[in-house]
Amino acid sequence: MKAVVCEAWGAPDTLVVKELQDPQPGPGQVVIDVQAAGVNFPDVLIVQGKYQFKPELPFVPGSEVSGIIRQTADDMTSFKAGDKVIAFVPTGGFGQRLLAPVQALIPMPPDMDFDTAAAITLTYGTSYHAIVDRAKLESGENMLILGAAGGVGLAAIEIGKALGARIIACASTDEKLEVCRQHGADVLINYSKEDLRVAVKAATAGKGPDVIYDPVGGEYAEPAFRSIGWGGRYLVVGFANGDIPKLPLNLTLLKGASLMGVFWGEFTKRDPKGNMKNMRQLLQWLQQGKIKPRISARYKLGDAAQALNDMAARRVTGKVVVLPQEDS
């Protein structure tokens, strides 16, 4: 099998495509022929050794896949060869075959395509956990989303709309904001052109947003938090900007506001039943047309480094996927 291998911490360009031994399933495991692998911002950080989770070298990056079970362990009863599945794993996604434990598998709905299946676990799982489990967003509330055209941002727009909220989408270009509008955003703010605080005040009639969803960090975090409404909830989702902001904590007192950390990967480990409940709701919304992942680009296995570079440079809207079975 061919796979993308990280042999040393570094930029995506240091990744290499190598021939590896086909994996063999042990007890409770399956081998999947990977049809599509989702690309996420944490993948960029993991190969540089900058993420919360640091695998042993060498390893194959990539955490969310869709594919067809090739082989199962002898003790397997819940899945069989030929089943189409979604899997979320720590590593191994950017390869033609993946060894995965049964606990990581979700049956693919029969009418779902592989690209969509590989694009729903991390971004939508993160946003659902943040918005529903942590912030408890209610119908009629205002939610401000920074970096709204990215994978988790578009997922947050759709989930917020499914819950009946009013969505204020913020992004750096008019083109990205048009994508946000297509996914249901009610108000659009270009924070490279507009004063964020002035625009948010106008968008909320001076009240401020009830929930702020921030996967970006950096320079916009403080003005966004200063704009939050009384009793608001600020969701710390990630730092795509690269800079971890230092928010003045007196703002939490003055606004009666809450800072809420969102670490979906740890949540899936600590509450796997809760995560599966969330995924069932997301798959139901997908079938109802309430959510629809945007796949903006597809890459061959040999171009996986370029996919990560595009993600790091924030050239991506929605999701991109790697297709390991195509000629690399």
Side-chain angles (χ1 to χ4, degrees):
M1 58 168 276
K2 290 181 179 179
V4 175
V5 181
C6 178
E7 298 179 318
W9 308 119
D13 291 335
T14 62
L15 299 172
V16 294
V17 177
K18 299 183 70 172
E19 292 276 353
L20 301 179
Q21 288 283 351
D22 282 349
Q24 298 298 316
Q29 295 178 323
V30 304
V31 175
I32 300 167
D33 283 330
V34 178
Q35 302 301 309
V39 181
N40 298 286
F41 190 74
D43 298 323
V44 177
L45 300 177
I46 287 171
V47 300
Q48 297 177 73
K50 295 180 178 179
Y51 194 58
Q52 296 97 317
F53 162 68
K54 199 168 184 178
E56 291 186 14
L57 296 168
F59 68 95
V60 176
S63 59
E64 60 176 352
V65 308
S66 64
I68 304 168
I69 293 181
R70 178 185 184 91
Q71 187 180 0
T72 70
D74 293 337
D75 65 345
M76 186 67 61
T77 58
S78 50
F79 292 93
K80 64 183 185 303
D83 286 349
K84 296 179 179 180
V85 293
I86 302 167
F88 182 76
V89 291
T91 59
F94 296 166
Q96 292 179 322
R97 296 185 183 94
L98 170 70
L99 183 67
V102 66
Q103 297 91 338
L105 305 182
I106 302 170
M108 267 181 63
D111 55 348
M112 183 180 288
D113 63 86
F114 287 112
D115 290 5
T116 299
I120 196 170
T121 52
L122 191 146
T123 51
Y124 283 86
T126 295
S127 293
Y128 190 96
H129 172 56
I131 294 166
V132 177
D133 296 334
R134 302 293 285 140
K136 295 179 170 48
L137 181 71
E138 296 183 2
S139 179
E141 288 191 312
N142 285 301
M143 179 164 66
L144 177 76
I145 303 172
L146 302 176
V152 292
L154 289 183
I157 290 174
E158 294 182 338
I159 291 167
K161 293 303 293 182
L163 294 169
R166 181 170 177 265
I167 304 301
I168 304 165
C170 303
S172 59
T173 70
D174 292 339
E175 292 76 16
K176 289 181 178 180
L177 287 171
E178 173 57 23
V179 173
C180 297
R181 185 193 65 77
Q182 293 170 5
H183 283 257
D186 299 289
V187 180
L188 308 176
I189 297 175
N190 184 332
Y191 44 42
S192 67
K193 294 180 179 179
E194 304 175 64
D195 183 296
L196 183 59
R197 293 195 68 191
V198 172
V200 172
K201 185 176 181 180
T204 60
K207 176 178 176 289
D210 301 287
V211 173
I212 296 176
Y213 183 103
D214 182 8
V216 180
E219 62 183 307
Y220 298 114
E222 184 170 333
F225 195 33
R226 288 186 180 278
S227 302
I228 202 166
W230 175 256
R233 293 88 77 197
Y234 192 104
L235 295 165
V236 181
V237 182
F239 311 105
N241 176 273
D243 295 326
I244 298 176
K246 296 176 175 60
L247 296 175
L249 289 181
N250 66 308
L251 294 176
T252 61
L253 183 152
L254 295 172
K255 297 294 187 88
S258 302
L259 281 168
M260 296 181 166
V262 179
F263 189 0
W264 178 71
E266 188 65 21
F267 163 70
T268 66
K269 297 175 187 176
R270 292 176 178 266
D271 189 1
K273 290 183 178 179
N275 180 56
M276 286 303 298
K277 179 183 176 182
N278 292 356
M279 291 306 301
R280 284 193 293 271
Q281 178 64 77
L282 287 168
L283 291 174
Q284 184 181 72
W285 280 349
L286 186 70
Q287 291 175 318
Q288 294 170 346
K290 293 183 177 181
I291 62 174
K292 182 175 175 56
R294 170 187 168 88
I295 312 295
S296 60
R298 295 164 175 81
Y299 299 80
K300 296 179 180 179
L301 195 63
D303 297 325
Q306 184 60 52
L308 293 175
N309 281 328
D310 289 345
M311 181 72 66
R314 299 178 68 183
R315 291 190 289 263
V316 169
T317 58
K319 291 283 291 190
V320 298
V321 295
V322 171
L323 307 175
Q325 302 303 327
E326 292 194 5
D327 182 13
S328 60

